Amino acid sequence: MEQQRIQEERIQKELQAEPTKVEKLFRKLRYHPNPLVRVLMIIANTIWMIIAGIAAGIAYLIGMIAA
């Protein structure tokens, strides 16, 4: 019961936390009135997701080889 209460408090703190400067910047760029800025943000985000996917795949392969 105590652990559940602590976990619920931790979740509430995360929900009420102020967004970081980077998060604010990404939100600002994602909904920017200039279409060129929005397109550049989408391209940068897509490239980041591809790199993260490749890195996760490599980590998975290394984990499978090590096991």
Side-chain angles (χ1 to χ4, degrees):
M1 195 67 152
E2 181 69 21
Q3 289 178 344
Q4 186 178 15
R5 184 185 63 78
I6 292 172
Q7 184 178 11
E8 288 176 7
E9 287 177 1
R10 188 176 304 144
I11 291 171
Q12 288 299 322
K13 283 182 183 179
E14 289 178 14
L15 290 175
Q16 295 174 353
E18 190 73 23
T20 64
K21 290 181 180 181
V22 175
E23 290 172 342
K24 288 180 183 179
L25 176 66
F26 284 158
R27 287 182 190 159
K28 189 176 181 181
L29 291 177
R30 186 177 297 144
Y31 302 112
H32 198 276
N34 187 346
L36 181 62
V37 173
R38 288 195 308 256
V39 169
L40 290 175
M41 181 62 185
I42 291 170
I43 291 170
N45 195 22
T46 302
I47 292 171
W48 171 251
M49 287 296 143
I50 291 170
I51 292 171
I54 291 171
I58 292 171
Y60 176 76
L61 289 175
I62 290 173
M64 293 303 290
I65 291 171

